[in-house]
Amino acid sequence: MNVLITGGSRGIGAAIARRFAAEGMNVVIHYVNSHEQANETARECMSLGGGQIMTVSADLRSRESLERMREKLQAAELMPDILVNNAGVAHYGLLSDVSDADWDDVMAVNLKGVFLCTQLFMPDMIRTRWGRIINISSIWGISGAACEVAYSAAKGGVNAFTKALAKELAPSGVTVNAVAPGAVNTSMLDGFEPQELRQLEDDIPAGRLGEPDEIASLVYFLSLPESSYITGQVISPNGGWIT
């Protein structure tokens, strides 16, 4: 079984890569610029399982770049049975301060990248009548967040994309789901002061941040053959923060 994880060099993406590698699957770790981090994650994956591990760089904003990535995977016989659209960028600030370039970049990576990757890799899943597309969204795509309007809008788009495509692909045996994590202990929270993190944890009924491995476990569950009746769902592991 082949798995492609976009943005797989660190954080939640790296945890997902490690989880699939530990199950003996062939794992492709996509990255844009984080070459060393991608190689480190690949080394970790190789130490965990017997599957083939590959790293590949591509710009999610560019169809041409992603088409070249697809050609590499095809040549390596690593076309994905499971596609995890994980890559994303955040943007913090008042909407009044968001430039056109900021808005376009957030939409290009978080939403257009999901569209392009899915469109390029789903035909093989349809042909074989089996596949899993798992989109990593965010709690903010469900509830929205002040000072993160662009990010919230992009992730809300991912949720709608997931629901619509699930209906389109269900007759072909391909499931499409989204995982919308709450606050997770990754580098995306590096900008928070310690007291802000404590306040955040106090706001979460579980009393703590989520861990990347917990998100990876849910992604893995959704990829299983026995999860074939779960499609079109947006599942939010968030410690009871939003129910």
Side-chain angles (χ1 to χ4, degrees):
M1 196 74 72
N2 302 331
V3 186
L4 167 61
I5 302 140
T6 68
S9 65
R10 57 186 178 178
I12 291 172
I16 295 168
R18 290 190 296 267
R19 179 58 192 267
F20 280 105
E23 300 296 333
M25 296 190 188
N26 301 322
V27 177
V28 179
I29 300 164
H30 159 269
Y31 67 98
V32 181
N33 298 312
S34 304
H35 177 75
E36 288 304 320
Q37 287 179 305
N39 283 343
E40 177 58 30
T41 300
R43 286 189 286 270
E44 292 172 352
C45 288
M46 283 185 262
S47 72
L48 292 171
Q52 186 175 346
I53 309 298
M54 178 181 180
T55 63
V56 62
S57 177
D59 185 351
L60 293 180
R61 305 168 184 84
S62 165
R63 180 181 292 275
E64 291 74 19
S65 182
L66 290 172
E67 285 174 342
R68 289 192 294 271
M69 179 176 77
R70 186 182 187 281
E71 290 169 3
K72 291 177 183 177
L73 299 192
Q74 201 162 30
E77 298 184 349
L78 287 173
M79 289 292 284
D81 307 290
I82 301 164
L83 170 62
V84 183
N85 287 308
N86 167 76
V89 295
H91 184 276
Y92 303 98
L94 296 171
L95 182 64
S96 56
D97 297 329
V98 175
S99 68
D100 287 3
D102 292 334
W103 181 273
D104 290 346
D105 190 58
V106 170
M107 292 297 167
V109 176
N110 292 298
L111 186 53
K112 186 179 179 182
V114 171
F115 155 64
L116 290 175
C117 282
T118 302
Q119 191 181 60
L120 286 171
F121 290 109
M122 72 180 190
D124 275 39
M125 298 180 189
I126 294 170
R127 180 178 55 80
T128 60
R129 298 192 63 78
W130 197 95
R132 299 286 183 264
I133 299 168
I134 304 166
N135 302 318
I136 305 303
S137 180
S138 167
I139 193 171
W140 300 141
I142 299 171
S143 68
C147 297
E148 293 190 63
V149 173
Y151 182 75
S152 298
K155 292 301 188 179
V158 169
N159 294 345
F161 177 96
T162 297
K163 291 175 179 290
L165 186 63
K167 294 179 179 180
E168 190 171 314
L169 296 187
S172 300
V174 179
T175 67
V176 188
N177 291 289
V179 174
V184 179
N185 187 20
T186 70
S187 60
M188 289 189 78
L189 297 181
D190 285 350
F192 284 72
E193 297 294 330
Q195 64 271 22
E196 292 175 318
L197 287 175
R198 285 193 295 271
Q199 179 60 56
L200 184 58
E201 290 172 343
D202 288 342
D203 290 341
I204 299 169
R208 65 175 178 86
L209 303 176
E211 293 297 330
D213 287 346
E214 294 176 301
I215 310 307
S217 291
L218 175 56
V219 171
Y220 176 69
F221 171 75
L222 291 172
S223 76
L224 295 173
E226 52 264 42
S227 297
S228 62
Y229 203 56
I230 304 172
T231 194
Q233 303 306 302
V234 179
I235 304 171
S236 182
N238 63 55
W241 198 8
I242 291 176
T243 59

